[in-house]
Amino acid sequence: MSQYFHHNPPVRVASSSLFGTASEALYARFKKIKRKDVECQAFFRKVLKNPLFQLLMISTITSNAFFMVLGTDYNIRYKLFRLFEISEILFVSIYACEFFMKVYVEPIKYWRDGYNLLDVVIILIILIRYSLRKIKGRHYRYLHIADGIQSLRILKLISYSRGIRTLITAVGQTVYTVASVLTLLFVLMFIFAILGFCLFGTPEKGDLDNWGNLASAFFTLFSLATVDGWTNLQEQLDKRKFTVSRAFTIIFILLASFIFLNMFVGVMIMHTEDSIKKFQRELMAERHVTLMEEKQMILRNQQEAVNRLMNTQSGGGKNFTELVEEFKKTLRHTDPMVLDDFGSSLPFIDVYFSTLDNQDIVVQKLQELYYEIVNVLCLMLEDLPKKMSSHSSEFMN
C-alpha cells in the first residue's frame, strides 16, 4: 500500500520577480544562521502543536465572539462593564502571546504563511481601536467603525480548522473561472441595460424609476437576475403597455439566472469537491504515516523485550520457558499487535483456511457427540420406569 501514499518532495517554484528573488535569497541566508536557543525553540514549537493549546485558542476565540454578541445589548454591557473590560484585556493578551510565540519559533517562515498574515491584520485592527481611543477619545465619531470591524477576530478560527482552510482553498482556485463567469454576466447586463434604457426609459411614457438611467437599469437587471420581485417590475412595464417587455424579461431571466448563475454555482461545487477529495487523500496519507510510525515503535519495543529475555537467559538463572511465562504476566489485553504484513501473506492465508476447515470438522464431531448423548439419555429415561416397576414387585413379594 505504500505506493499509494508516496510523498513527492515539495517543489519550490522560482519567482521571476525581483522581490521574489530577493526574499528567497534573504530566507536562505537567515536559514543558515544557527540559533543557540534550540531547546527553548523546540519547547515552544511543541507547545504550539499541543492539542491543549489549540483547544485553548479555539475556546478563547469562541468566548471572545460570545462576549461581542453580549456587547450588542446596551443594558448587559452597562451592568457588566468591568467584566467586559477585563475579558477584553485577557483576550488581547492571549492573542499577543500566540503571536510572539509563533514569531519566536519561526521568525522568517512565519511571514510566508497567509493565515499568519491574517492574524497580524487582526492584531493591527485591535491596535487601531485602542489607538483611536487613546488619541481621539471615547467620543470620536468614527470609533464605532473600529468597534464594528473587531468582529473579524473570529477569522482566527480559520488557522485552527483544516476543513475551513480546504473550503477557502477551493474558493481561491475558482477565482479565475468565477471572474470569467462574472465578466460574461456583466457584459450581458450591460447589453440589456442599454437595451432596456432605450426601450423602457423614454421620458414620455417610460418607467423612469427602474429604467430612467443606466444605474437604475443595472439595479433592475440585478433584481431580475436574482428573480427577486420580478413580477412587480413586469407589472410596471405592463401598465405602460410595452409589447416587447415580457419577451425582454423572459430572455434575460433565462440567460442570467438559469444559465450564468447556475454556471457560477456549478463551478464552485466542482472545485469544492476537488478540494474535499484532496483533503481526504491528505488525511489518509497522514493516517498511514502515523500507523507506520506506531508499527515501527511496536516492533522496536517487542524486539527489545525479546532481547532482554535472551540476555537474561544467557546470564543464567531461569530457563526460557519460565521467562516467557513471566513476560506473559506483564502483558495487557490493550497491548497492540502487529499483524499487517504477517496477516496479508499467502502462507498465513493457507494456514488460516485450513484452520477454519478443522474448526468446522471439530464442530461437526461435537454435534454428533451431543446427538449420541441425547440418544443415550432418552434410552435411559425409557428404561427407568421398567426398572422401578420391577423393583416394586419384588418388594411386594
Side-chain angles (χ1 to χ4, degrees):
M1 292 178 61
S2 61
Q3 59 182 347
Y4 296 105
F5 300 100
H6 181 69
H7 291 278
N8 293 324
V11 180
R12 180 172 295 178
V13 180
S15 176
S16 58
S17 62
L18 182 62
F19 177 77
T21 306
S23 62
E24 291 289 340
L26 183 63
Y27 177 73
R29 179 172 297 181
F30 276 101
K31 192 176 180 180
K32 294 180 180 179
I33 300 176
K34 295 183 179 180
R35 299 181 58 168
K36 298 181 180 180
D37 53 347
V38 178
E39 295 182 357
C40 186
Q41 182 187 14
F43 172 76
F44 280 107
R45 181 182 285 109
K46 186 177 180 181
V47 170
L48 291 173
K49 293 182 178 180
N50 195 327
L52 293 178
F53 178 80
Q54 297 180 0
L55 181 62
L56 172 64
M57 292 304 304
I58 293 173
S59 302
T60 302
I61 299 168
T62 306
S63 302
N64 193 2
F66 178 72
F67 272 90
M68 284 191 290
V69 172
L70 292 180
T72 57
D73 192 327
Y74 178 77
N75 294 326
I76 296 177
R77 189 174 183 84
Y78 179 76
K79 292 178 181 179
L80 303 177
F81 175 77
R82 187 61 60 186
L83 178 62
F84 277 96
E85 291 291 329
I86 296 174
S87 63
E88 183 67 17
I89 295 173
L90 179 62
F91 294 145
V92 175
S93 301
I94 293 175
Y95 296 154
C97 290
E98 180 203 20
F99 168 74
F100 287 119
M101 288 171 62
K102 288 184 176 180
V103 172
Y104 174 76
V105 172
E106 298 288 348
I108 305 298
K109 191 176 179 180
Y110 176 84
W111 306 100
R112 300 165 65 90
D113 191 351
Y115 297 109
N116 292 335
L117 296 179
L118 178 62
D119 293 341
V120 173
V121 171
I122 293 173
I123 292 175
L124 291 177
I125 290 174
I126 296 173
L127 294 177
I128 290 173
R129 177 190 178 188
Y130 282 98
S131 301
L132 290 177
R133 284 192 175 186
K134 291 294 183 181
I135 298 174
K136 299 293 184 177
R138 293 181 176 271
H139 301 288
Y140 184 57
R141 60 178 182 175
Y142 295 119
L143 187 61
H144 64 280
I145 300 177
D147 292 335
I149 61 177
Q150 298 302 314
S151 60
L152 296 176
R153 298 182 187 184
I154 199 172
L155 294 178
K156 288 180 66 65
L157 285 174
I158 295 176
S159 58
Y160 293 99
S161 176
R162 293 187 62 181
I164 298 177
R165 293 201 301 268
T166 302
L167 293 177
I168 292 177
T169 303
V171 173
Q173 291 175 351
T174 61
V175 170
Y176 297 105
T177 308
V178 169
S180 301
V181 174
L182 293 179
T183 302
L184 290 175
L185 181 60
F186 174 78
V187 171
L188 178 69
M189 291 181 65
F190 177 79
I191 295 172
F192 274 82
I194 298 295
L195 185 59
F197 170 76
C198 297
L199 293 177
F200 316 125
T202 56
E204 294 81 12
K205 58 175 182 179
D207 186 3
L208 300 181
D209 294 333
N210 296 317
W211 305 96
N213 53 54
L214 196 61
S216 60
F218 263 103
F219 187 78
T220 303
L221 290 174
F222 181 79
S223 300
L224 292 176
T226 57
V227 199
D228 181 22
W230 69 274
T231 55
N232 297 328
L233 296 172
Q234 186 59 40
E235 286 179 1
Q236 296 294 329
L237 297 177
D238 291 338
K239 289 179 181 179
R240 291 169 174 81
K241 298 180 180 179
F242 289 110
T243 56
V244 296
S245 61
R246 293 192 175 185
F248 177 89
T249 303
I250 292 173
I251 293 173
F252 180 77
I253 290 176
L254 287 175
L255 292 175
S257 180
F258 289 92
I259 295 179
F260 284 97
L261 292 184
N262 287 331
M263 188 186 301
F264 173 80
V265 174
V267 168
M268 295 294 295
I269 291 175
M270 289 172 55
H271 285 276
T272 303
E273 289 181 351
D274 293 339
S275 298
I276 291 175
K277 291 179 180 178
K278 181 180 178 181
F279 175 66
Q280 292 176 349
R281 289 195 298 268
E282 291 176 355
L283 284 180
M284 292 178 63
E286 291 179 0
R287 290 172 183 172
H288 178 74
V289 172
T290 304
L291 289 175
M292 293 300 295
E293 291 177 354
E294 292 179 356
K295 176 181 175 181
Q296 294 297 327
M297 183 179 65
I298 293 170
L299 290 175
R300 193 182 306 112
N301 294 335
Q302 292 177 354
Q303 186 66 33
E304 291 176 357
V306 173
N307 290 333
R308 285 196 300 269
L309 291 176
M310 298 297 293
N311 294 331
T312 305
Q313 184 190 18
S314 61
K318 301 179 180 179
N319 56 23
F320 187 75
T321 304
E322 295 176 351
L323 293 175
V324 171
E325 292 297 329
E326 292 182 358
F327 176 72
K328 288 181 179 179
K329 295 179 182 179
T330 62
L331 296 178
R332 299 182 300 273
H333 67 280
T334 57
D335 290 337
M337 297 183 64
V338 180
L339 296 175
D340 187 11
D341 297 335
F342 179 72
S344 60
S345 61
L346 291 177
F348 173 80
I349 294 174
D350 293 335
V351 173
Y352 180 69
F353 284 157
S354 61
T355 304
L356 290 179
D357 294 336
N358 294 328
Q359 183 179 359
D360 293 338
I361 295 172
V362 171
V363 172
Q364 184 180 1
K365 294 294 184 182
L366 288 175
Q367 288 177 351
E368 294 177 356
L369 179 61
Y370 293 153
Y371 293 150
E372 293 292 336
I373 294 173
V374 171
N375 188 20
V376 171
L377 290 175
C378 290
L379 294 175
M380 292 175 65
L381 290 175
E382 290 177 357
D383 295 338
L384 184 61
K386 297 179 181 180
K387 292 181 179 180
M388 291 181 63
S389 61
S390 63
H391 284 296
S392 60
S393 61
E394 290 177 359
F395 178 75
M396 292 298 292
N397 293 328

